[in-house]
Amino acid sequence: MKVDGGITFDLAQSGQSAREAEAAGYDGVWSAETSHDPFLNLLLAAEATERIDLGTSIAVAFARSPMTTAVTANDLQAFSGGRFILGLGSQIKPHITKRFSMPWSHPAARMREFVLAMRAIWDSWHNDSKLDFKGDFYTHTLMTPFFNHSWSSPVSAS
């Protein structure tokens, strides 16, 4: 059984918070997207720790594009040495449309496509495949060499 905990949103204390969780025997620490970005404190936690998993619980998918999320997740996965876990959630319509000013429709189908689009993006970076994702909600068809993340990274498209 794995035992996980939360991490502070105080960026000045994030590394220490994660280090203490690791020393106490926790298997992972999680960051939720509430009043703060869920990724920044995990970067600091990755730098301060060696073995614990680091994850979002959750990052709001529909406030972002699959490309921006894929870039951030790839960077965290590479920097943490493969310990990052991307947890995504849809949030509810009023938050997506009124707080984030993003479109809302068909959350289950949109989430499925969001994940498939990210996998196609990662595949293009790590397997040098042509980016040609066309869905009902997202289209990603341009990946020039300047923007390709094909350097060594533990992210897998599977």
Side-chain angles (χ1 to χ4, degrees):
M1 174 186 306
K2 288 189 172 192
V3 178
D4 295 337
I7 185 173
T8 182
F9 286 113
D10 179 351
L11 294 179
Q13 298 299 317
S14 293
Q16 181 63 30
S17 174
R19 197 171 19 257
E20 289 171 359
E22 186 173 66
Y26 282 86
D27 295 297
V29 292
W30 295 84
S31 176
E33 183 162 19
T34 54
S35 58
H36 296 274
D37 182 282
F39 301 109
L40 292 177
N41 59 347
L42 293 176
L43 177 66
L44 298 169
E47 184 175 43
T49 59
E50 296 178 5
R51 65 160 187 82
I52 59 173
D53 292 332
L54 311 159
T56 54
S57 66
I58 55 94
V60 180
F62 300 158
R64 299 171 170 81
S65 77
M67 183 64 71
T68 58
T69 306
V71 168
T72 300
N74 190 80
D75 288 346
L76 274 168
Q77 183 72 330
F79 187 75
S80 70
R83 297 182 291 139
F84 178 67
I85 301 167
L86 178 62
L88 296 172
S90 62
Q91 195 38 281
I92 60 173
K93 183 179 179 178
H95 283 268
I96 298 303
T97 61
K98 296 177 182 179
R99 182 163 65 120
F100 294 110
S101 189
M102 297 293 280
W104 176 267
S105 66
H106 308 91
R110 184 180 287 267
M111 183 64 77
R112 180 180 186 281
E113 190 172 297
F114 193 101
V115 171
L116 292 173
M118 285 193 312
R119 287 182 173 167
I121 292 162
W122 290 328
D123 185 64
S124 78
W125 293 340
H126 300 289
N127 298 314
D128 291 323
S129 63
K130 180 177 175 9
L131 181 58
D132 189 27
F133 184 86
K134 296 174 185 163
D136 294 330
F137 308 101
Y138 303 102
T139 299
H140 296 280
T141 57
L142 178 64
M143 186 55 61
T144 61
F146 184 75
F147 295 104
N148 190 321
H149 285 238
S150 61
W151 64 81
S152 176
S153 174
V155 171
S156 169
S158 56

